[in-house]
Amino acid sequence: MTAPLLYALAGAMLCGIGLFGLLWLSHLLRKLLAFNIMGSGVFLVMVGLPQHQGGPDPVPQALVLTGIVVAIAATALAVVLIRRYYHLSGMTSLEGDPASREGGAE
């Protein structure tokens, strides 16, 4: 098993873990963390798979660097939006989840 294939398989595993967390978890910050894990898996696949004449291809690497910058900015925006949602509603998950109130069942 070559190193690029190992990176691609680890990236696919991270994508699966992130997708599971995105669908299964109800807390908004945990969903955001799962989404970031899934994005990291995509970055690993994009770095691990493309090869150009035996060496790494610079175009996917440039896309991954750009994607990392965009992911950091999007994560910061999402944290601000989640915090604002919490201050407005007092809930840590989207409406419809009865266990999302801080004080328990009211």
Side-chain angles (χ1 to χ4, degrees):
M1 184 175 288
T2 63
L5 184 60
L6 188 62
Y7 284 133
L9 289 175
M13 185 181 301
L14 282 176
C15 283
I17 292 170
L19 184 64
F20 175 76
L22 194 64
L23 296 175
W24 187 257
L25 300 172
S26 63
H27 196 279
L28 290 175
L29 285 176
R30 290 179 183 159
K31 280 185 180 274
L32 179 62
L33 183 63
F35 190 74
N36 283 336
I37 289 172
M38 194 167 57
S40 298
V42 170
F43 294 153
L44 268 177
V45 169
M46 286 182 69
V47 167
L49 282 184
Q51 296 291 319
H52 182 68
Q53 297 174 352
D57 193 4
V59 174
Q61 289 183 354
L63 288 174
V64 167
L65 285 175
T66 304
I68 290 170
V69 172
V70 170
I72 290 171
T75 300
L77 176 65
V79 167
V80 169
L81 290 174
I82 290 170
R83 185 174 175 201
R84 181 70 178 158
Y85 179 75
Y86 175 73
H87 285 295
L88 289 176
S89 68
M91 299 172 67
T92 57
S93 63
L94 296 178
E95 293 192 26
D97 185 17
S100 64
R101 289 232 175 240
E102 282 293 318
E106 293 182 0

